[in-house]
Amino acid sequence: MKSLWGGSRDDRDSRDDDGPARDSTTAERDSALVNEHTRLLPNRVESTSYLSPDDPAVSPYNLRSIRFTRYLTIFFTVVAFAWWVLILVSTFVTPPGFHIRGSGFFPFSYASLALANLLFTLLFFAVPAKAVRIASLVVAGLLLVDAILIVSVQQTRYEEGWVGMVSVLWAFFVAIWTLATDRLVAWGKYEEEERLTGRAESRRTLGQWVAVLLSTISMVVLAIALLLMTFTLILRALDAGLAPPGKMYWVDSHKYRLHVYCNGNDTAAKLPTVLIEGGETSVEAGLRDFADNAIKNGSISRYCFVDRPGIAWSDTAPSPLSASMAVEAVDEALARAGEDGPWVLMSAGIGSIYSRILSSRHGTDVKGLLLIDPLHEDLLAEVGSPGRGFLLWLQGIISPLGLRQIPGALFKGRNKEDRVWGRSSYQTGKYIFAKLQENLVAGTLSKRDVASSRAIQEQNVPLTLVSSGVKTREDSDWEDQQRALSHLTKKLQHWDIVKKAPHQVWETLEGRDMIEKRLKQLVQG
């Protein structure tokens, strides 16, 4: 009989009778397929429940914790950039409370390292690598050593101030953060690959290998740079044990200190004290020995000198610093030391700029001017040229690496004296920063200061010039400028040109004898 729906009951019964037999056959076939070669996990390529490892959906960004970590890293990068800009600006214009009594180049280096570390982390965020984590661990360890050196050594702590300490601690925090971030992303990548593809992916694409290589190289470069900075910081800690021969005095509302040194018989009230101003180098580098010999020879009875800001033991001053501002600080340091003249001012090279300003402000207290191959104010434009300033800034930026200081200490026998005030002092960040400050305002504020001093200079002050014969022969303009300076006052005593003497005239015996002879005449009347 046909069913209402087009089939017969016999056919339906027949199919019902065959069902158990067919199910039994299927079960036997399925059980026969299960053996030692059977996959424990489904084939992820043929399976509809797993994704290919190359699918863009397989990403650690699926995890909320990874996305939050990335957003936080971006926030830290913005903070690091703002801190980096603030320290960069303070090199040229010091914000209130942001003055660094050292050079400021070490805090800038730590800020740059922290910013670079975060940028590399963001750039290679989704490609974690064990080599990067090892390099980050080395960077964190070196930063911890630097932080201990800065905080534990009194001189480095004093010079770097709160800005330097915050900078190195911030860089240390960033190193730990990048290390933790890379480890967290590696975990997230493993979890997502296992969840979406069935197992963690061990292979990498060519692009991922390139990213791993670049991220590893960048972290190794940071680690090497930081290792050099640590060696330089160790040299600074060793140099801190070299005590100044004179005394340190606070100036400019207790912002920084200048080194004042005096030697000789201060009871000889009838004779003026010689106030020495160094040129391109510190007074300790040459003129101090000359002055000691002059005292032994009886040519002078007493001399003093003040290291300008950033030179030798003196701290650096806030920026900008014109020649007039530097002279005000020197004047204040002398007053605090109880030195009030009368003076015979002796200066060399660019130091004559400062002596002339000081002379114009002290009037009759200045009993004589001895200028040794002085710099004319018209050449201040060259001192303040943008190209020279940019090169000084670059030298300052790389100065924490100690590329010349470290080899000098290891292979050339350079000692503390060499680095603080001697032949290697020009390599230090403080000296470079002082010259950069000098450059920034030489053609503007400092030139105006010298022009003003010339207008108010006491015309009855005895004046003597001792010029370099080498310089005058090589440059006719230099000779013309020396001649112009001989008319600085109306009482020119002598203008001597030492034929074989270089710019540092006192480096030759003939030059030393001539300077001492003219100095004795000015002091003893």
Side-chain angles (χ1 to χ4, degrees), residues 120 323 372 407 450 489 500:
F120 290 144
I372 306 171
V450 181
T489 71
K500 297 182 180 180

Side-chain angles (χ1 to χ4, degrees), residues 258-261 275-277 304-308 314 330 333-334:
L258 295 185
H259 172 235
V260 180
Y261 176 79
L275 182 60
I276 306 174
E277 181 61 62
C304 293
F305 66 84
V306 182
D307 290 323
R308 297 197 305 272
S314 291
V330 169
L334 288 170

Side-chain angles (χ1 to χ4, degrees), residues 88 104 175 192 196 205 212 225 242 262 268 271 293 311 316 321 366 392 443 470 494 510 521:
L88 176 63
E192 285 302 283
L196 297 176
T205 64
V212 169
L242 185 64
C262 293
L271 295 178
N293 288 329
I311 304 298
T316 58
L321 181 72
V366 176
L392 284 169
V470 174
H494 302 278
E510 183 184 2
Q521 292 172 347

Side-chain angles (χ1 to χ4, degrees), residues 487-502:
H487 301 292
L488 191 60
T489 71
K490 295 180 179 179
K491 296 189 68 175
L492 177 65
Q493 304 296 301
H494 302 278
W495 177 23
D496 302 297
I497 300 178
V498 184
K499 293 183 179 180
K500 297 182 180 180

Side-chain angles (χ1 to χ4, degrees), residues 120 123-133 135 182 204-222:
F120 290 144
L123 186 61
F124 307 110
F125 191 85
V127 191
K130 186 176 181 180
V132 172
R133 292 193 290 276
D182 194 85
R204 295 181 187 269
T205 64
L206 179 60
Q208 289 174 333
W209 277 116
V210 171
V212 169
L213 179 63
L214 293 177
S215 61
T216 303
I217 291 175
S218 63
M219 289 304 301
V220 169
V221 169
L222 291 182

Side-chain angles (χ1 to χ4, degrees), residues 72-226:
L72 205 55
T73 304
I74 293 174
F75 171 74
F76 288 150
T77 304
V78 173
V79 174
F81 179 73
W83 182 252
W84 181 84
V85 170
L86 188 58
I87 296 180
L88 176 63
V89 170
S90 68
T91 302
F92 307 97
V93 180
T94 305
F98 220 78
H99 174 225
I100 303 170
R101 299 185 182 99
S103 65
F105 293 126
F106 260 89
F108 183 80
S109 296
Y110 289 127
S112 300
L113 188 142
L115 180 60
N117 206 347
L118 288 167
L119 289 175
F120 290 144
T121 300
L122 288 175
L123 186 61
F124 307 110
F125 191 85
V127 191
K130 186 176 181 180
V132 172
R133 292 193 290 276
I134 294 174
S136 296
L137 189 61
V138 172
V139 167
L142 290 173
L143 284 168
L144 181 60
V145 172
D146 286 7
I148 293 173
L149 285 172
I150 290 176
V151 174
S152 60
V153 179
Q154 181 181 1
Q155 185 64 21
T156 57
R157 184 174 66 248
Y158 167 79
E159 289 183 350
E160 298 302 323
W162 73 270
V163 177
M165 288 187 283
V166 167
S167 297
V168 68
L169 291 175
W170 167 248
F172 174 71
F173 167 78
V174 167
I176 295 297
W177 174 260
T178 56
L179 174 63
T181 297
D182 194 85
R183 184 66 187 89
L184 180 64
V185 173
W187 168 83
K189 185 174 181 293
Y190 176 87
E191 290 292 319
E192 285 302 283
E193 287 174 349
E194 190 175 69
R195 181 176 70 87
L196 297 176
T197 69
R199 66 179 178 85
E201 183 61 43
S202 59
R203 67 182 178 87
R204 295 181 187 269
T205 64
L206 179 60
Q208 289 174 333
W209 277 116
V210 171
V212 169
L213 179 63
L214 293 177
S215 61
T216 303
I217 291 175
S218 63
M219 289 304 301
V220 169
V221 169
L222 291 182
I224 293 174
L226 190 56

Side-chain angles (χ1 to χ4, degrees), residues 347-349 371-375 466-468 471-472 478 482 502-503 505:
S347 57
L371 305 181
I372 306 171
D373 211 32
L375 180 76
V466 180
S467 301
S468 162
K471 287 279 287 185
T472 53
W478 185 266
Q482 299 291 295
H503 180 56
V505 180

Side-chain angles (χ1 to χ4, degrees), residues 199-355:
R199 66 179 178 85
E201 183 61 43
S202 59
R203 67 182 178 87
R204 295 181 187 269
T205 64
L206 179 60
Q208 289 174 333
W209 277 116
V210 171
V212 169
L213 179 63
L214 293 177
S215 61
T216 303
I217 291 175
S218 63
M219 289 304 301
V220 169
V221 169
L222 291 182
I224 293 174
L226 190 56
L227 180 64
L228 294 175
M229 290 175 61
T230 303
F231 288 151
T232 306
L233 200 57
I234 291 173
L235 288 179
R236 286 182 57 189
L238 294 175
D239 295 343
L242 185 64
K247 294 184 179 180
M248 306 292 292
Y249 294 94
W250 289 99
V251 296
D252 195 9
S253 302
H254 215 71
K255 290 180 181 177
Y256 59 98
R257 299 181 304 171
L258 295 185
H259 172 235
V260 180
Y261 176 79
C262 293
N263 185 32
N265 183 11
D266 57 359
T267 60
K270 293 182 180 180
L271 295 178
T273 299
V274 178
L275 182 60
I276 306 174
E277 181 61 62
E280 289 71 26
T281 59
S282 64
V283 176
E284 293 91 336
L287 287 176
R288 179 186 173 187
D289 290 339
F290 164 82
D292 287 335
N293 288 329
I295 289 180
K296 292 179 182 178
N297 297 334
S299 300
I300 62 176
S301 61
R302 192 165 185 268
Y303 73 90
C304 293
F305 66 84
V306 182
D307 290 323
R308 297 197 305 272
I311 304 298
W313 281 277
S314 291
D315 302 334
T316 58
S319 296
L321 181 72
S322 67
S324 179
M325 296 165 68
V327 168
E328 289 174 2
V330 169
D331 215 357
E332 182 180 353
L334 288 170
R336 292 185 180 277
E339 301 292 339
D340 54 2
W343 308 104
V344 167
L345 305 183
M346 182 177 76
S347 57
I350 197 171
S352 62
I353 297 293
Y354 301 91
S355 288

